[in-house]
Amino acid sequence: MAASDDFADDVTTKVASSARVKTLGVALVVIEGESRGARVELGTGVARVGTAEGCDLRITDRTASRVHCEIRVQKSVVTIRDLGSTNGTFVEGLRIVEAEVPAGSVLHVGATAIRVEVDARPQFMEISSRDSFGELVGSSFEMRRLYSVLERVAKSDTTVLVQGETGTGKDVLARSLHAESARAKGPFVPVDCGAVPEHLFESELFGHQKGAFTGALADRKGVFEEAEGGTLFLDEVGELPLPLQAKLLRALETKSVRRVGSNVARPVDVRIIAATNRGLSRCVNDGTFREDLYYRFAVVEVVLPPLRARPEDIPLLAAHFFKMVGGKGELPASYSTHLQQKSYAGNVRELKNVIERDVLLGGVSPSTEKKAIPSLPPAAEELAPLHLPLKEARQAWTESFELIYVRAMLKRSKGNVTRAAELAGVSRRFLQRMAARLGIRASDVGATPEDLEGDE
């Protein structure tokens, strides 16, 4: 929805590390259904609707899904997105997957009707003023809003769930968050949950005792213990089988692990960052991911935008990757423009690969020469009519140049007007008229009056 000018995108206040932008004040009000009268304001810019306990607007409705839909406010736009619900999300009778809606719209979630109310008074959203956060690079609105959240959670031990498409940089965000945290001096231990065989997963996470199973020849720490005092990054948690989800949930709740083959629980001090390219709310709805584990991860949930949502960041990213892969000099502006005209299904990772390939195969030549600033002749400032306003000075300078130029051409050709015109690249008649306008006399340049003045 497009709002009034009162909700312009302009930054209204700027401080050392953040800025504030105007955004809509939005509330969701249940007007039909068992939860009629329930209300929630989108103070954080996003709210989820469903029957699950962790939803921002929790409704009682057997025909609604646990995490049914999401309402998001971005500056002057309200967007509703279905989260893989069983019965769908409807706006004004139309089933939607994702849509921008105007103020006063009514959405139907199962048998529940919810009105989107917009307050006339604007809210203010904080965004960061920086153009990078650790290894993350980008100065677009989407990225600066993300940095603002990361800046606030970095110093805490809060569990963070990072969602985003493949190649958006979820692992980069996790490393950057660790580096900015109080645990930066501790270990950062990444685990790709989708790459660990199911029968080894428990041992990988929690460790094992010698003799616990065939091949367990010695005691072994799991990644929880390896990450003691630091950060454990669980990548692709959406790939976890349900039986393992229950064991992981128990470890998160008790902050302790029990090695395979041991009866003793060991306390662990780790900060958890989880990531997935699958919508976990959809997985909750279809029963492939535990709801309680989802909310254990999503204490703070952030979404890395795809590259197509922030094309203005491509030149900055391109310059960053160009230096990273060993490029010399500066990246040509024409090459950055070319990159912006392409689409990247693989997001930031694909962009990096394109630049690395082009550098290695000579597809991009760095611009190492700096443009020389032309030097002025010693007498230039004396000749320029600096006492006049710009417009009048430009006109006087042009007339002086034309007079000097035409006289020089005529003298070089020894008064031969035809030859002078050829040297100047103009017609004979044009040169004759210019000489007359400038008041050049034939005797001054060695020409005959008839030759210089021409036929009238």
Side-chain angles (χ1 to χ4, degrees), residues 329-330 366-374:
E330 295 184 3
S367 176
T368 56
E369 295 183 1
K370 295 183 178 180
K371 293 183 178 179
I373 300 175

Side-chain angles (χ1 to χ4, degrees), residues 417 428-430 432-433 436 448-456:
V417 178
R428 172 187 171 90
R429 185 60 181 150
F430 181 87
Q432 288 172 333
R433 289 177 176 173
T448 63
E450 295 79 8
D451 191 28
L452 186 60
E453 295 172 5
D455 299 328
E456 294 299 333

Side-chain angles (χ1 to χ4, degrees), residues 8 13 21 77 121 141 146 172 182 188-189 192 217 222 248 416 423 431:
T13 306
V21 295
V77 175
R121 296 168 299 177
F141 176 84
L146 174 63
V172 175
F188 175 80
V189 181
D192 186 345
L217 303 179
L248 179 57
N416 186 322
L423 291 173
L431 188 64

Side-chain angles (χ1 to χ4, degrees), residues 106-128:
V106 175
L107 59 142
H108 286 82
V109 174
T112 302
I114 303 169
R115 185 170 61 238
V116 179
E117 295 186 350
V118 176
D119 196 325
R121 296 168 299 177
Q123 299 278 337
F124 290 90
M125 177 188 299
E126 285 195 6
I127 63 172
S128 175

Side-chain angles (χ1 to χ4, degrees), residues 106-107 234 320 339 402:
V106 175
L107 59 142
L234 300 174
H320 173 72
L339 291 175
E402 290 176 346

Side-chain angles (χ1 to χ4, degrees), residues 121-175:
R121 296 168 299 177
Q123 299 278 337
F124 290 90
M125 177 188 299
E126 285 195 6
I127 63 172
S128 175
S129 297
R130 58 205 292 182
D131 58 10
S132 65
F133 181 88
E135 299 176 46
L136 290 173
V137 175
S139 58
S140 61
F141 176 84
E142 287 289 340
M143 293 303 290
R144 290 189 295 132
R145 184 171 66 171
L146 174 63
Y147 299 157
S148 179
V149 175
L150 298 180
E151 288 167 355
R152 281 176 281 178
V153 302
K155 303 304 180 183
S156 71
D157 283 341
T158 302
T159 301
V160 178
L161 175 62
V162 186
Q163 301 208 62
E165 297 177 10
T166 298
T168 50
K170 298 182 290 294
D171 56 335
V172 175
L173 186 153
R175 289 196 302 270

